[in-house]
Amino acid sequence: MTTKRVRRVLAALIGLLTLSVATPAHAAPQPGLAGSDPARRAVPGVDGLIALRPDGKVFATVSDDAVRLWTTATGRRAGAPLAEGAGPIYSIAFSSDGKLLAVAGDRGVSLWDPATGKPSGPPLTGHAGPVRSVVFSSAGPLMATAGDDGTVRLWNSRTGILVRTLNGHAGALQSVVFSRDGSRLATAEAGDTVRLWQTGTGRPIGEPLTVSPGPVYAMSFSPDGHLFAASGGGNAVRLWNPATGAPAGEPLVAGSGPVYTLTFSLGRKLLATSSGGDNTVHLWNTVTRRPVGAPLAGHTGPVRAMRFSKNGKLLATGSDDGTVRLWDPATGSLEGAPLTGHAGRVWAVRITPNGKRVISAGADGKVRLWRVPKRNPA
């Protein structure tokens, strides 16, 4: 859950390589985590986004109005470019089985077969204007798209048939996210409004939710589906009951400044939230709604990106200070030295499904891969 600006950052994944879009492959090595390979490749994607196939073996980037596929282990091309000449692209996503890649942009939505590089059926039409966000449910073939026309459309991705259109927003939409079981959907306007929906009926859940002050910077469902969290320009993270749309207790308030990012742990009852005013990260117990330990301090700029490992034993953070840091959520301790090399803001961080690598993408147009310490298998 990210803003339009965050969604348009470069984030590519490569195995055992440090990538630089802006620097030729023969340039001097950059500093990295001990044991990482300093070699680099030039990978198109400066103007684009990334999507990681669920098995982690293939990733997609966007550049020059086309989508390119790459193998995670080598950083080499995995087939011909997709959606060439499709115009500006704002969002890409793999289906839960990895057999489809959705591309959304100025000219609507299209589905592609990554194995063949060919379209999977005709373009999906219906939105009046650009489509800003596309996401697949992890629990079936349902796919959601959200656009400047203020509508959300649900599709059967296997057939390309429109299931239903959700109306209720007053302005353009910037992002859409499913609950883990696919039964609910959250949509965010470009301002301060979020709506919850039942995907089975298309009905809204409760009244529109206001994230004040806006804009909406981040939103997410908890893995068990019992909580929905969203944050914006203030220092509070607001929680709701996704089943009713009612507030789920008092807002979580810590630190100062905007909460640019938040993320739930899959393996533990934890929620991590950033604090843009004092450059810290706060951990919360999602059952008690109480802080867990002291704030994670060390970054010298706001934290824009965070991601837990699959089992929740590692947290990666990326900051405006150009560094990536790895933390042990159980102790709040920093795992190794800060990972340096980005020249400017770090927009995105990922931990690979096998837990062996952390990947970071920065405003400098570079993507870097770091080894996870062996004593912290994820």
Side-chain angles (χ1 to χ4, degrees):
M1 5 19 50
T2 57
T3 64
K4 178 167 65 180
R5 187 178 181 188
V6 172
R7 296 198 313 271
R8 287 185 58 79
V9 303
L10 167 70
L13 307 173
I14 10 209
L16 302 186
L17 293 177
T18 298
L19 300 186
S20 169
V21 173
T23 308
H26 61 268
Q30 295 291 315
L33 192 62
S36 64
D37 188 337
R40 292 184 287 180
R41 279 183 179 274
V43 175
V46 172
D47 299 325
L49 312 146
I50 72 107
L52 177 64
R53 202 169 72 183
D55 63 6
K57 295 181 179 180
V58 173
F59 65 96
T61 66
V62 177
S63 66
D64 300 325
D65 294 344
V67 179
R68 290 173 170 81
L69 302 176
W70 313 86
T71 58
T72 305
T74 65
R76 297 184 183 280
R77 290 184 183 274
L82 312 180
E84 286 188 291
I89 296 170
Y90 303 122
S91 183
I92 56 176
F94 277 103
S95 60
S96 60
D97 60 9
K99 294 180 179 180
L100 290 174
L101 180 70
V103 179
D106 269 359
R107 301 182 185 177
V109 183
S110 56
L111 293 173
W112 296 80
D113 182 343
T116 65
K118 297 180 179 180
S120 179
L124 308 183
T125 59
H127 280 286
V131 179
R132 301 290 177 177
S133 184
V134 59
V135 63
F136 287 90
S137 169
S138 61
L142 202 62
M143 182 184 77
T145 58
D148 282 6
D149 61 3
T151 69
V152 183
R153 294 175 184 265
L154 300 180
W155 312 82
N156 183 320
S157 62
R158 293 174 185 164
T159 64
I161 294 175
L162 178 65
V163 177
R164 59 180 53 90
T165 300
L166 311 182
N167 295 286
H169 281 283
L173 301 183
Q174 67 173 5
S175 59
V176 57
V177 61
F178 276 106
S179 62
R180 190 168 178 81
D181 65 1
S183 65
R184 297 183 179 94
L185 189 75
T187 52
E189 291 182 17
D192 62 0
T193 302
V194 174
R195 298 214 69 159
L196 298 173
W197 309 85
Q198 296 175 343
T199 58
T201 65
R203 295 176 180 173
I205 300 172
E207 296 299 314
L209 312 178
T210 301
V211 179
S212 180
V216 179
Y217 281 122
M219 62 179 186
S220 181
F221 290 92
S222 63
D224 62 11
H226 294 161
L227 285 175
F228 173 74
S231 64
N235 67 337
V237 174
R238 287 171 168 77
L239 303 174
W240 290 273
N241 180 339
T244 64
E250 294 298 315
L252 307 181
V253 179
S256 61
V259 179
Y260 290 117
T261 182
L262 59 83
T263 184
F264 285 96
S265 168
L266 289 175
R268 300 181 179 185
K269 300 291 184 179
L270 290 177
L271 171 65
T273 65
S274 69
S275 178
D278 58 16
N279 310 324
T280 60
V281 171
H282 298 261
L283 298 178
W284 306 86
N285 183 306
T286 57
V287 177
T288 66
R289 317 291 167 78
R290 303 289 297 173
V292 177
L296 308 183
H299 282 294
T300 58
V303 173
R304 301 278 180 171
M306 295 190 295
R307 187 62 57 96
F308 280 103
S309 61
K310 189 174 182 179
N311 67 0
K313 293 184 178 181
L314 193 71
L315 176 68
T317 58
S319 167
D320 282 11
D321 64 14
T323 71
V324 175
R325 294 171 187 247
L326 307 181
W327 309 85
D328 181 345
T331 63
S333 60
L334 185 64
E335 296 294 303
L339 311 182
T340 61
H342 283 291
R345 180 173 296 168
V346 176
W347 276 118
V349 293
R350 298 288 188 271
I351 300 178
T352 54
N354 62 13
K356 295 181 179 180
R357 302 287 182 268
V358 172
I359 308 96
S360 58
D364 56 3
K366 297 176 182 177
V367 178
R368 301 181 183 278
L369 184 72
W370 319 86
R371 293 179 189 268
V372 173
K374 288 186 178 180
R375 66 191 185 94
N376 282 305

